[in-house]
Amino acid sequence: ILYNQCLQKYDLLNDKAKYANTLINLAFVNEAQGNSKESFAYLEEALDVAKSINDSRVLMQVNLALSGVYHTSREWLPGLLAAQSAYVLAGQLGEPLIEVAALLNIAAFQTELGHWQEVAAISPKIEETLTMTGDLIRLSRFKNNMGIAAFNQGHYYVAEKAWQNALQINSQVDQPIESARIYNNLGMVYIKLGEMDAAEGMLKQAAAIFEAKGDFYNWANALDNLAD
């Protein structure tokens, strides 16, 4: 409600940049409520406004937000392109925090697309920056993605180490969905390693969290792994 009131006022004031930023905030609110379609609509409008005023900073923010919504919607290639655009603009504008956020999204998309060399090339910079800034939430997500990359290449012990590390980091912050993703991934790797009791325990924890949080896609995925 408040963001919509801001939108009306910025429209009356003809402040295009703040109007676009408010559209981005409305997109975040809708994404948090699981309304990806509405979130995309706000971001597409924000993108049009940013282009009309040629505002690089707003374009950077829109592309970063778009990459996040694309990831939630499991649209890897358009998400990668949006994240890459945000990364380039962040570098040009001297925004290191946005730059590393975009790099994290790039790594996540490259992992899903199976582009292992690209993931390996950008990993050291990401880990160094996140460790230096003490960004535990993003560091946990990064380690999770590194585990996925290792798992998909058949490096199961490397994947287990990355996910256990991610779980340890994530225990210091309140991110239950991220914990559930890590439990689910550990369950998958323990199946591959033949450690069925450990796998069952991890997958049951993952399924319980996903169900409690209403994340039905990942709940179904955890149950599928549990059936295996």
Side-chain angles (χ1 to χ4, degrees):
I1 290 170
L2 290 170
Y3 281 140
N4 273 302
Q5 289 173 357
C6 288
L7 208 60
Q8 292 170 14
K9 292 183 185 298
Y10 288 137
D11 190 31
L12 288 171
L13 293 167
N14 198 32
D15 191 330
K16 300 288 188 183
K18 289 183 179 177
Y19 183 88
N21 278 317
T22 304
L23 287 169
I24 296 170
N25 289 334
L26 277 164
F28 285 138
V29 170
N30 277 271
E31 179 66 10
Q33 294 175 319
N35 302 325
S36 292
K37 185 177 179 180
E38 290 83 352
S39 186
F40 272 124
Y42 283 121
L43 290 174
E44 285 168 5
E45 186 182 352
L47 190 61
D48 289 340
V49 174
K51 287 178 179 177
S52 73
I53 59 174
N54 196 28
D55 190 316
S56 297
R57 195 167 298 279
V58 179
L59 276 170
M60 173 188 69
Q61 297 285 3
V62 174
N63 276 294
L64 184 64
L66 268 173
S67 69
V69 180
Y70 277 127
H71 193 272
T72 302
S73 302
R74 306 181 66 79
E75 297 182 53
W76 312 133
L77 191 54
L80 175 61
L81 295 173
Q84 288 172 334
S85 295
Y87 176 72
V88 170
L89 289 166
Q92 292 171 351
L93 294 166
E95 292 282 359
L97 294 179
I98 301 294
E99 199 173 8
V100 76
L103 263 184
L104 274 167
N105 288 355
I106 289 169
F109 288 120
Q110 298 284 30
T111 298
E112 295 293 349
L113 291 165
H115 300 164
W116 312 125
Q117 289 184 336
E118 289 84 347
V119 173
I122 61 177
S123 294
K125 181 177 181 179
I126 295 173
E127 185 165 2
E128 180 185 355
T129 304
L130 294 177
T131 302
M132 184 175 63
T133 58
D135 191 337
L136 296 181
I137 292 174
R138 285 177 174 164
L139 185 59
S140 170
R141 291 174 184 169
F142 171 70
K143 291 287 187 180
N144 194 11
N145 285 330
M146 291 305 95
I148 293 169
F151 181 87
N152 287 334
Q153 295 175 85
H155 305 320
Y156 300 131
Y157 287 107
V158 174
E160 181 200 10
K161 183 178 179 181
W163 285 330
Q164 287 288 2
N165 196 351
L167 195 62
Q168 183 180 17
I169 295 166
N170 201 60
S171 68
Q172 300 175 60
V173 292
D174 184 23
Q175 294 285 309
I177 289 291
E178 187 66 14
S179 292
R181 290 193 183 109
I182 300 167
Y183 286 135
N184 187 49
N185 291 339
L186 280 167
M188 290 168 63
V189 81
Y190 286 135
I191 290 171
K192 292 291 187 181
L193 295 173
E195 299 180 30
M196 296 306 169
D197 289 341
E200 183 180 0
M202 293 292 177
L203 293 169
K204 283 182 174 178
Q205 288 185 78
I209 295 171
F210 287 136
E211 183 182 15
K213 295 296 179 181
D215 188 338
F216 299 118
Y217 176 90
N218 283 311
W219 180 39
N221 181 254
L223 291 176
D224 186 38
N225 292 330
L226 188 57
D228 289 340

